[in-house]
Amino acid sequence: MKTSRQLGLVMIITGATFWGLSGPMIQWFFQQTNMSSSDFLVIRLLLAGITMLGYLAFVKKQNILAIWKHKSHSIQLVLFSIIGMLGAQYTFIEALQYSNAVTATLFQFLGPVLITIYVSVQGRSFPSRRQFLAVVAAIAGTYFLITNGSIESIVLSKQAILFGILTAVGFAFYTIQPAPLIKKWGTLIIVGWGMLLGGIVLLIFNHSLTPQYFTDTLTMSTFAMLLVIIASGTLSFVLYIGSLKYLTATETGILSSIEPFVAAIVSVIWLKEVFGAYQLLGGLFIIIAVIFLTTPDKKLKRRIAMEQSSEG
């Protein structure tokens, strides 16, 4: 049990680091090309999904179609693919394009607070004092992040705010919803199908991808960066969702706290991003909100135990 928990901790910390790095890399990619977010996601999801499922089918000799024989599991997988995998990635990239990598990551970081609220509602008990303070800190942080201290001069566009909020919801959804499927079928097959189906759904509404389009859009450096983004993002999802086998959704959400730190450091050093003082304060408040949740009291420990029993 102790070894499994340590493996889960390594997986979530590594996955969060890769995701923190991927934000600035994606921001750089869009600064260097005119590729749309939907085009980018079609390529990213299809390539990653095909690679992962191909590895399972031809190297591991697994029956990747077995899950489709179970109607309820198939429905859950489709929901995860469209709402969780595609929804979370699309809203994150849109938030990033309308703001920047750090802001999008901080919005995503509100997910653990939503998860905690969800667990409280599911457990039908009032949040503890620490949880209440975490929610207050998260709300205050979001206010400063959006307004930079002045409601009369909102620094983020309506699109950035909308997609930022949807990013937080998507984060919470893909953390909680696939946990039972992963315990039954394993991480790679759920993430692989999630990416492939998400990419197919997006491709249906996207007809701009042609060989000429790639030639006109990508250079050697941007193509290389695209491959690195796909590899790191896929590994991030696999490690993040895979950690749910060994940790609870609440713990996994909390331990992803290094994402905004990594994104901020890389953005400032590499992309020369500059943030307002109140925006930095807002980011700090959001991080503090999650830190409040890293030292659970007896009430929260009981809820985590309830979550573990319900997932088992």
Side-chain angles (χ1 to χ4, degrees):
M1 180 64 71
K2 185 176 180 181
T3 302
S4 296
R5 179 173 175 77
Q6 289 174 342
L7 177 60
L9 293 173
V10 171
M11 291 174 72
I12 181 55
I13 291 172
T14 306
T17 300
F18 276 121
W19 188 254
L21 288 171
S22 69
M25 289 192 295
I26 293 171
Q27 183 176 336
W28 179 90
F29 178 83
F30 283 121
Q31 289 173 349
Q32 303 299 318
T33 71
N34 59 359
M35 183 175 285
S36 69
S37 55
S38 58
D39 292 338
F40 170 80
L41 272 180
V42 167
I43 299 168
R44 181 181 190 176
L45 292 174
L46 288 180
L47 284 180
I50 291 171
T51 300
M52 204 171 298
L53 292 176
Y55 169 77
L56 291 175
F58 298 109
V59 178
K60 290 294 187 178
K61 305 298 182 182
Q62 289 188 24
N63 182 4
I64 61 173
L65 301 176
I67 188 172
W68 296 105
K69 297 178 181 179
H70 300 261
K71 184 177 179 180
S72 63
H73 290 182
S74 300
I75 294 173
Q76 291 177 48
L77 181 56
V78 171
L79 288 175
F80 168 67
S81 303
I82 298 174
I83 301 176
M85 184 63 71
L86 175 57
Q89 291 212 33
Y90 181 82
T91 54
F92 175 82
I93 290 176
E94 286 292 306
L96 184 152
Q97 289 210 76
Y98 282 111
S99 56
N100 54 62
V102 178
T103 301
T105 303
L106 285 170
F107 268 117
Q108 176 187 284
F109 206 53
L110 292 171
V113 178
L114 298 182
I115 292 171
T116 301
I117 294 173
Y118 170 81
V119 172
S120 297
V121 172
Q122 189 183 47
R124 296 181 181 180
S125 59
F126 291 104
S128 67
R129 182 180 302 174
R130 187 177 289 113
Q131 288 178 310
F132 178 77
L133 290 174
V135 173
V136 171
I139 293 173
T142 305
Y143 169 79
F144 286 127
L145 185 66
I146 291 172
T147 66
N148 197 28
S150 174
I151 193 66
E152 296 178 356
S153 56
I154 296 176
V155 294
L156 296 182
S157 65
K158 293 180 181 179
Q159 294 92 333
I161 296 171
L162 173 62
F163 283 112
I165 293 172
L166 291 176
T167 296
V169 174
F171 176 95
F173 184 87
Y174 81 65
T175 299
I176 296 172
Q177 192 264 352
L181 289 177
I182 289 169
K183 288 185 181 293
K184 171 66 177 177
W185 300 99
T187 303
L188 293 182
I189 195 166
I190 299 302
V191 175
W193 276 116
M195 288 183 165
L196 180 60
L197 292 178
I200 291 173
V201 169
L202 195 55
L203 182 62
I204 292 173
F205 300 97
N206 188 315
H207 306 287
S208 64
L209 294 177
T210 63
Q212 185 64 38
Y213 174 84
F214 286 105
T215 303
D216 295 339
T217 305
L218 298 176
T219 63
M220 288 298 295
S221 60
T222 54
F223 178 70
M225 179 60 78
L226 177 61
L227 294 181
V228 172
I229 291 170
I230 291 172
S232 62
T234 302
L235 186 58
S236 172
F237 265 85
V238 170
L239 291 172
Y240 181 89
I241 297 178
S243 68
L244 294 170
K245 262 182 108 171
Y246 312 105
L247 305 171
T248 67
T250 302
E251 291 173 313
T252 299
I254 288 169
L255 290 167
S256 65
S257 59
I258 62 173
E259 289 177 15
F261 286 111
V262 173
I265 292 170
V266 175
S267 293
V268 170
I269 295 175
W270 180 33
L271 302 177
K272 310 302 180 185
E273 285 284 350
V274 178
F275 303 95
Y278 282 102
Q279 285 185 296
L280 292 175
L281 180 63
L284 181 62
F285 271 35
I286 292 173
I287 294 170
I288 287 173
V290 178
I291 290 175
F292 279 158
L293 302 176
T294 63
T295 53
D297 56 17
K298 292 180 180 179
K299 271 189 176 182
L300 186 53
K301 286 180 178 178
R302 286 198 297 268
R303 286 171 203 171
I304 290 175
M306 184 184 304
E307 185 182 339
Q308 287 176 317
S309 62
S310 65
E311 289 175 357

